[in-house]
Amino acid sequence: MPLSEFSVRASIAVSDIGRAVDFYEGKLGLPLAHSGPSANITDGSRVYRSGGDVALNVFQSATAGKSEATMATWYVDDLDSIVDELTQAGVGLVRYDQLEHDARGITERAGGGRIAWFQDPDGNTFAIESDR
């Protein structure tokens, strides 16, 4: 049975689950699917829904924020509206010196479309992309 027959979700390590809840639920507005333990931390893990399905597992760990790579990407229809909502919620966009960004922090995506990046409180990087 190939893995392509099963759902997949991103797992994100955070240093403080309480601070992560404020960010992922409060600022990003992700709905909680369920919570549970993470290693020996009671209620140290949260699973969030996005796009109608379970999509993101956030768990407390000493390895939080160690990767500089983009951890997950949301593909959206209206990038401008999403950027506005995130900015109004207090989420800052990441700007990379080697790329040209517009005044709001959005850049042209290789191959067409546009993209913007943001980080959680631990420095985990996420992207928002749109074909327009």
Side-chain angles (χ1 to χ4, degrees):
M1 192 175 288
L3 286 177
S4 62
E5 294 184 20
F6 301 94
S7 297
V8 65
R9 73 178 98 157
S11 291
I12 311 299
V14 298
S15 61
D16 181 317
I17 195 68
R19 184 173 66 175
V21 166
D22 290 342
F23 181 80
Y24 289 93
E25 294 175 32
K27 293 188 178 198
L28 300 187
L30 295 178
L32 179 67
H34 58 85
S35 63
S38 175
N40 61 353
I41 303 164
T42 304
D43 203 31
S45 173
R46 315 275 290 181
V47 176
Y48 295 105
R49 293 188 176 282
S50 188
D53 200 1
V54 172
L56 196 63
N57 177 45
V58 176
F59 63 99
Q60 188 164 319
S61 171
T63 63
K66 303 290 187 201
S67 176
E68 294 181 18
T70 301
M71 305 300 290
T73 302
W74 279 269
Y75 295 91
V76 302
D77 293 329
D78 188 348
L79 184 63
D80 295 299
S81 293
I82 299 296
V83 165
D84 288 345
E85 288 176 22
L86 290 173
T87 301
Q88 289 172 2
V91 177
L93 296 185
V94 176
R95 295 171 186 263
Y96 296 101
D97 292 338
Q98 67 273 26
L99 299 174
E100 290 185 33
H101 301 274
D102 69 14
R104 296 162 68 215
I106 300 170
T107 190
E108 296 297 315
R109 183 179 69 191
R114 299 181 310 143
I115 187 169
W117 293 269
F118 65 92
Q119 293 178 331
D120 75 1
D122 285 297
N124 293 308
T125 301
F126 299 91
I128 316 154
E129 291 190 31
S130 175
D131 288 334
R132 340 177 194 165

